[in-house]
Every structure is written in C-alpha cells, then in structure tokens.
Amino acid sequence: QVQLVESGGGLVQPGGSLRLSCVASISNFRLRIMAWYRQAPGKQRELVASITSTGITNYVDSVKGRFTISRDNAEKTVSLQMDSLKPEDTAVYYCNVRISGSDSWGQGTQFTVSS
C-alpha cells in the first residue's frame, strides 16, 4: 500500500554533488508532504528537507543553500539535489511521508562524503 524506494547513494568527495531520488508508490501523492531525513551513526534522525503539496519547501539550517528538494507529481517522485557536500553530510538518507498521522519510511540510502 505504501512503498518508498530511495536511490542515489554512494561515495563522493568533499565539495562534490549527489542526487537522491525516491519513488513513492502511494495514493494521492500530489496531496502529501514529502520529506528527506538523515541519520548519522550515534545521532538522532533529523529532518533535512520537506516539500508540501503546493511546493513550499523547508530545510534544516545546516543544508540551506546547498540542498534542494523537488517533486514530480506525474512520476510520484521526490528528489534531493545535494551540492557542496561536506563530511558531516555523511549519513543514511530516508524518504518519508506521513499518511493519516503515521510515518512511512523508505529503506534508506547510504552515502559517504570523504577524501
């Protein structure tokens, strides 16, 4: 009923770029707030970026100006373009949607920023 599949992880050099994508097999995709979270080892999962049904975006301060979230309602996808990557961006990134008060998560995609 709800399936979120992320892709785009890997290894990237500091200052590099990476694009993450999430295919959301859900109903009424265009009405949902979609989000990307990340979790680094030993740390709490944090909201990185979100986008509403009307295209309003929100970003955690640490990624503002570097990350861009977008959505394609026809394809039911949400993407996260990450530029000027830093080692502290290293984490598992998760696609998220809240439906009827319940969170659904993708399996996560790992990427590492390292020289």
Side-chain angles (χ1 to χ4, degrees):
Q1 187 170 344
V2 177
Q3 183 177 3
L4 307 176
V5 181
E6 305 100 332
S7 63
L11 178 65
V12 64
Q13 297 278 78
S17 297
L18 199 64
R19 183 179 177 86
L20 305 181
S21 295
C22 172
V23 179
S25 299
I26 61 176
S27 61
N28 300 313
F29 174 85
R30 64 174 57 248
L31 302 180
R32 308 299 183 184
I33 295 175
M34 302 299 298
W36 284 97
Y37 285 73
R38 67 185 179 187
Q39 187 167 24
K43 296 185 177 181
Q44 294 284 319
R45 187 172 298 185
E46 68 171 347
L47 175 64
V48 178
S50 65
I51 183 167
T52 71
S53 61
T54 56
I56 304 300
T57 59
N58 181 65
Y59 301 92
V60 67
D61 286 343
S62 61
V63 309
K64 287 182 178 178
R66 300 189 298 119
F67 289 13
T68 303
I69 188 172
S70 61
R71 67 191 298 158
D72 185 330
N73 289 333
E75 299 292 334
K76 293 186 176 183
T77 60
V78 59
S79 298
L80 187 68
Q81 177 66 43
M82 303 180 290
D83 300 317
S84 301
L85 287 165
K86 305 174 180 179
E88 52 263 43
D89 293 319
T90 296
V92 177
Y93 283 69
Y94 298 90
C95 185
N96 164 272
V97 63
R98 177 166 290 182
I99 301 175
S100 299
S102 180
D103 285 323
S104 294
W105 304 91
Q107 293 300 305
T109 184
Q110 168 81 57
F111 82 90
T112 301
V113 184
S114 177
S115 61

